[in-house]
Amino acid sequence: MAQDKVTKESVQKEAERNKRHKVRMERKKKIIDSAIEKSDKSKGLMLVLTGNGKGKSSSAFGMVARSLGHGMKVGVCQFIKSRTDTGEEAFFSSHEKMDWHVLGDGFTWNTQDRTQDIETSENGWKVAQSMLQDPSYDLVVLDELTYLLNYNYLDQDSVLDDIQNRPFDQHVVVTGRGADEYLVDLADTVSEIADVKHAYRAGFKAQSGIDL
Ligand code: ATP
Ligand code: MG
């Protein structure tokens, strides 16, 4: 009998909890719907993905996949990196709406040659510039651009001008650690990925599919 009473009480409690949850969710839906209704503007966005954690370039490639899925034309400029055996390149580069450029010479501590780094960066930027001036590109990814700016391999003002003066509807994604304030100011969306833990520090080498 006692157990019956407890069960009835708990059933009633559960029903009340469900009712309260429904009221809360109705209220939340109203707020979200009204926010969505207000956010009806559209333009080419600038995104910056920065921070020391893993996930900046792979997030950019996620947006590449989304864009190609919508039939959009995408340009990717990979600065710094010189390897052309990555999974992303193997997967995306042959897509008919994809224009993929590996424009790096390797990391600056590998090249150890500032003059060469500057020349490589300037030549790479010409490729980026041509995309940023071409309205047929719906999305342009400037992968690892922050390093070229932070080492002063490229002139910050002219890079910002080129990004700012791109076609109105063109999205641009900049990745790399240490994004400076001026990039953040110019961007519409900025994510800083924190380095909580990385397998590398436990002795695991870069894994195909995860890191490259
Ligand atoms: P990903 O391309 O995996 O999204 P990322 O763009 O955020 O990484 P980068 O600084 O470009 O990071 O480094 C690329 C490579 O370095 C990847 O193999 C990645 O796993 C590795 N890496 C990224 N962050 C760290 C970290 N905090 N410690 C060690 N290795 C890292
Ligand atoms: Mg990266």
Side-chain angles (χ1 to χ4, degrees):
M1 266 315 261
Q3 213 177 353
D4 250 350
K5 198 176 164 219
V6 170
T7 308
K8 266 185 206 159
E9 271 174 9
S10 56
V11 166
Q12 199 178 352
K13 251 189 180 167
E14 186 68 6
E16 276 166 19
R17 242 180 113 180
N18 287 343
K19 208 170 143 187
R20 277 202 307 275
H21 175 83
K22 193 166 186 303
V23 170
R24 269 207 310 274
M25 289 305 118
E26 277 168 0
R27 206 179 303 139
K28 191 168 180 166
K29 187 175 183 328
K30 255 189 209 159
I31 294 168
I32 291 172
D33 284 350
S34 114
I36 291 173
E37 214 170 287
K38 278 184 203 149
S39 315
D40 63 349
K41 294 191 289 185
S42 193
K43 67 156 189 160
L45 298 175
M46 175 184 174
L47 292 90
V48 170
L49 306 171
T50 192
N52 293 334
K54 174 191 157 43
K56 300 173 289 293
S57 299
S58 38
S59 166
F61 300 137
M63 286 179 264
V64 169
R66 284 182 171 167
S67 301
L68 293 175
H70 286 293
M72 294 157 72
K73 181 174 168 184
V74 180
V76 170
C77 294
Q78 284 199 294
F79 302 105
I80 307 285
K81 279 174 200 161
S82 57
R83 65 188 308 164
T84 57
D85 59 350
T86 59
E88 57 266 26
E89 183 173 356
F91 186 75
F92 287 123
S93 64
S94 60
H95 196 287
E96 57 171 344
K97 291 265 189 169
M98 181 80 237
D99 192 7
W100 191 282
H101 293 267
V102 178
L103 301 162
D105 255 351
F107 288 97
T108 182
W109 52 89
N110 284 330
T111 63
Q112 297 169 8
D113 184 340
R114 196 171 168 271
T115 317
Q116 187 194 315
D117 284 349
I118 292 173
E119 198 183 311
T120 307
S121 303
E122 285 174 346
N123 287 334
W125 189 249
K126 283 182 194 148
V127 177
Q129 247 173 351
S130 69
M131 294 177 180
L132 293 168
Q133 289 167 1
D134 182 346
S136 75
Y137 289 91
D138 299 298
L139 169 68
V140 175
V141 174
L142 306 170
D143 193 31
E144 320 297 347
L145 176 66
T146 57
Y147 302 97
L148 275 57
L149 295 167
N150 293 347
Y151 279 110
N152 289 316
Y153 291 166
L154 292 176
D155 178 60
Q156 295 174 357
D157 288 335
S158 38
V159 165
L160 288 192
D161 279 351
D162 289 336
I163 293 177
Q164 208 163 5
N165 295 326
R166 72 190 186 282
F168 180 79
D169 288 328
Q170 187 181 78
H171 301 301
V172 60
V173 179
V174 174
T175 82
R177 295 180 191 204
D180 218 319
E181 218 174 275
Y182 58 84
L183 273 180
V184 170
D185 286 345
L186 189 63
D188 301 287
T189 296
V190 179
S191 294
E192 184 166 15
I193 298 176
D195 179 17
V196 177
K197 204 175 182 182
H198 196 290
Y200 179 74
R201 291 200 290 284
F204 296 102
K205 64 177 185 175
Q207 307 285 313
S208 294
I210 300 297
D211 298 296
L212 71 154

